[in-house]
Amino acid sequence: MDKEIKVGIISDTHGLLRTEVKEILKQCDYILHGGDVNKQAVIDELEDIATLFVVRGNNDKEWAEHLPQNLKFEIGGIRFYMVHDKKFIPTQMENTDIIVFGHSHKYLEETRDGILWLNPGSCGRRRFDQSISMAVMTIKSGTWTIEKIELNPEMK
């Protein structure tokens, strides 16, 4: 029987790793961060929770030069491509099941040409009146489900 794999998907933390987000991520086997981390301390903390895949965002300055602009990887038979800003996604995305990106701070979950495009939104500092959100993906037997998580709207 295939093991269930939990993947926490976040982006645009901008130096703030909320307690509520950490509690959710502690239940995950992997964490994907779609960029705009803003601090090495956030990466260090995430790596202490689970296996981390992270890309560099437009606000990740000199300290983050070691972070890749994009990543291709596989978890549980699912093929991922991750980049911060969707304008840098190549037009040809063969051998990809899910594209993860951030930047806009707006949650998006949309299938285009058989590929899931997923932006978990932002779970860092609130920007304008946008919600604070993230996603948790459950992978089992080569298929997945996604749970959008909106955090307390009263948070700043």
Side-chain angles (χ1 to χ4, degrees):
M1 184 150 146
D2 282 341
K3 178 186 179 287
E4 200 173 78
I5 301 169
K6 295 273 189 197
V7 182
I9 305 171
I10 62 175
S11 189
D12 297 277
T13 50
H14 291 277
L16 174 63
L17 194 52
R18 297 171 181 276
T19 302
E20 298 83 354
V21 170
K22 288 188 277 189
E23 290 307 309
I24 294 165
L25 294 175
K26 285 177 184 176
Q27 302 164 30
C28 297
D29 304 293
Y30 295 89
I31 300 169
L32 312 185
H33 193 307
D36 277 359
V37 181
N38 285 69
K39 287 185 188 172
Q40 181 64 44
V42 171
I43 290 176
D44 296 342
E45 199 166 352
L46 292 172
E47 286 177 331
D48 284 344
I49 296 171
T51 300
L52 176 66
F53 291 92
V54 60
V55 292
R56 185 176 179 179
N58 60 300
N59 286 302
D60 295 322
K61 303 301 180 193
E62 295 78 25
W63 72 269
E65 287 177 355
H66 65 287
L67 296 179
Q69 297 287 344
N70 59 64
L71 276 176
K72 284 188 92 153
F73 54 94
E74 192 173 303
I75 299 172
I78 307 299
R79 300 165 300 181
F80 290 85
Y81 177 84
M82 189 164 61
V83 66
H84 180 62
D85 188 337
K86 71 179 179 180
K87 75 180 181 186
F88 296 114
I89 296 170
T91 53
Q92 297 298 313
M93 289 303 302
E94 61 280 336
N95 301 317
T96 301
D97 298 306
I98 300 173
I99 296 170
V100 174
F101 60 99
H103 188 60
S104 71
H105 293 226
K106 293 180 188 165
Y107 189 92
L108 176 79
E109 185 180 330
E110 179 179 291
T111 301
R112 300 181 200 164
D113 300 320
I115 298 172
L116 175 67
W117 290 57
L118 178 64
N119 182 334
S122 170
C123 61
R125 289 178 174 76
R126 181 178 297 285
R127 183 174 159 197
F128 310 117
D129 62 349
Q130 293 176 335
S131 66
I132 298 167
S133 65
M134 61 179 290
V136 174
M137 174 180 286
T138 302
I139 301 171
K140 188 171 182 179
S141 302
T143 63
W144 68 82
T145 57
I146 296 175
E147 176 188 5
K148 175 184 178 182
I149 300 171
E150 286 201 50
L151 300 164
N152 185 338
E154 303 305 312
M155 291 180 180
K156 298 291 178 217

